[in-house]
Amino acid sequence: MTELLQGTVFSNTAFRAMEIGPLPKAPRERSRIGEELQPIGTYAGIIPYLGTIQDVEVLQEHEKADPEFESKDWWWDHQRIRFLNGKLGLKTLILILPIIWVFILWLGGPALMIWASGEIESMAELPPLLMALGIVIFTLGWFAFAIWATPVTTNWLMSTGMGFVLKPFEKAINKKLDDTLEDGCSEFNRTTGLVRLALGRGRFFEAPFVEFDAYVDRVIQQSGVFYRLIFVHRYTQKSFHKTAFSTIESSKSEVLALWDVLQTYMDVTQPLPDVPRLEPFRHLDPVTAEHDGRIGRNPRFWRDLDLEAWKQGEGKEWLKRQMEYPWDKRKCRLTPQLGKISMAEYRKLRPADAWPI
């Protein structure tokens, strides 16, 4: 069911919004309390402003070490967007180590001074007031040193120091990481139109992109109301909150722009969305290459960008457009197709390895 169509790099199951066929009716009402159902197939052509700023920095930094973007650590390309779906594993340990080091650095000096005042005989004989004053002065001086030393030593720990400590275990750690990534790797596949979401323990939920409904979810926290994008499989009601597009944002328009990016990416009749992470691969996608050649797009726009100048100039206009775009005026091309085919008939048309419905 996922063979490549003749004369194209895309399979017959690839997503094409203008060609959405008949779909079974959803078994449950699609409206959900506190969550806004998003339309499918209407594109604003807007990329998320805050995400773009972060990604430009990541893109430009990565190019220094991997100018051809051949590293397996670069998870976005013209064929699929990969991500870890809620898998922590060794990442938790890597995050805990610098936290432990900072605690040791900040509290170690004062703790040592207090211990010495009771254990070293010459210090124990000092007048209490003088000893207390000495401890206070030493502690303030130590904190001043810690403020300077924290970024320097933490950066060294996470680079050179970590590499030195873990060097004897490098092969075992790499194997563990590979196993963890394979087990926890999810993806949106532009070429096949399929979404594969890791469930852990070697299990995956795989289904066509057209079967997923996207919702903007409100996340209420003590500091205010935030937003994120979640996905619900229409025919099983399985809900996914930890995808690459489910980051919690303070701006609702940022989340709406994220959904616009993902839809555009998956629709093979559209050029790849013009986001920094995909720039090194735009020439490899035929639809995108034709589009970029027609408009004369600079192939290194994001990689050579002066980000600070962009934020003060063109970036401001991008943000304004994102905030003012009439998001509520978008039309859904999918909803009118629901109920035009029975579930039994539709099952025969689905990819054989898709999750059963």
Side-chain angles (χ1 to χ4, degrees), residues 7 13 31 35 57 95 103 109 120 129 134 171-172 188 193 195 198 219 228 261 299 323 327 334 341:
T13 57
S31 60
E35 299 170 358
E57 295 173 342
L95 290 174
F103 270 104
I120 299 177
L129 182 59
K171 290 185 178 179
F188 291 95
V195 179
V219 181
R228 65 176 171 179
V261 163
M323 299 295 292
W327 296 104
L334 182 145
I341 191 174

Side-chain angles (χ1 to χ4, degrees), residues 10-11 22 25 81 112 119 126 274 310:
F10 306 118
S11 76
K25 184 179 180 181
I81 293 174
L112 181 64
E119 295 296 326
L126 293 174
D274 199 348
W310 181 83

Side-chain angles (χ1 to χ4, degrees), residues 113-134:
M113 184 64 174
I114 293 173
W115 172 84
S117 64
E119 295 296 326
I120 299 177
E121 185 175 346
S122 59
M123 292 185 64
E125 294 176 353
L126 293 174
L129 182 59
L130 183 60
M131 183 182 295
L133 182 61

Side-chain angles (χ1 to χ4, degrees), residues 141-296:
W142 182 269
F143 284 161
F145 165 75
I147 291 173
W148 169 83
T150 295
V152 176
T153 57
T154 303
N155 288 338
W156 180 89
L157 175 68
M158 297 306 293
S159 55
T160 307
M162 186 76 75
F164 177 78
V165 172
L166 298 180
K167 185 66 176 178
F169 313 101
E170 184 175 5
K171 290 185 178 179
I173 290 174
N174 286 339
K175 185 179 185 304
K176 178 62 177 177
L177 282 173
D178 288 342
D179 292 342
T180 299
L181 294 179
E182 182 64 27
D183 184 37
C185 183
S186 301
E187 67 176 39
F188 291 95
N189 195 307
R190 174 175 167 92
T191 303
T192 65
L194 299 178
V195 179
R196 188 180 80 155
L197 297 164
L199 302 177
R201 299 179 181 178
R203 299 174 302 127
F204 295 92
F205 183 94
E206 188 169 36
F209 179 71
V210 75
E211 293 182 5
F212 287 87
D213 287 327
Y215 295 84
V216 173
D217 180 32
R218 289 182 177 84
V219 181
I220 301 176
Q221 299 181 352
Q222 189 174 11
S223 55
V225 179
F226 297 84
Y227 305 89
R228 65 176 171 179
L229 193 64
I230 66 172
F231 299 92
V232 177
H233 185 251
R234 192 178 309 114
Y235 302 114
T236 63
Q237 293 299 298
K238 286 184 177 292
S239 182
F240 299 92
H241 299 71
K242 296 181 180 180
T243 71
F245 293 83
S246 299
T247 54
I248 297 176
E249 305 289 348
S250 60
S251 168
K252 183 179 177 180
S253 67
E254 185 82 2
V255 177
L256 295 173
L258 274 171
W259 172 234
D260 200 69
V261 163
L262 179 57
Q263 285 192 88
T264 308
Y265 177 85
M266 291 299 290
D267 191 338
V268 297
T269 68
Q270 302 292 315
L272 293 171
D274 199 348
V275 294
R277 287 180 182 267
L278 294 174
E279 184 176 70
F281 309 95
R282 295 182 66 85
H283 65 288
L284 299 175
D285 182 89
V287 176
T288 308
E290 189 279 330
H291 168 270
D292 288 357
R294 187 175 68 253
I295 67 172

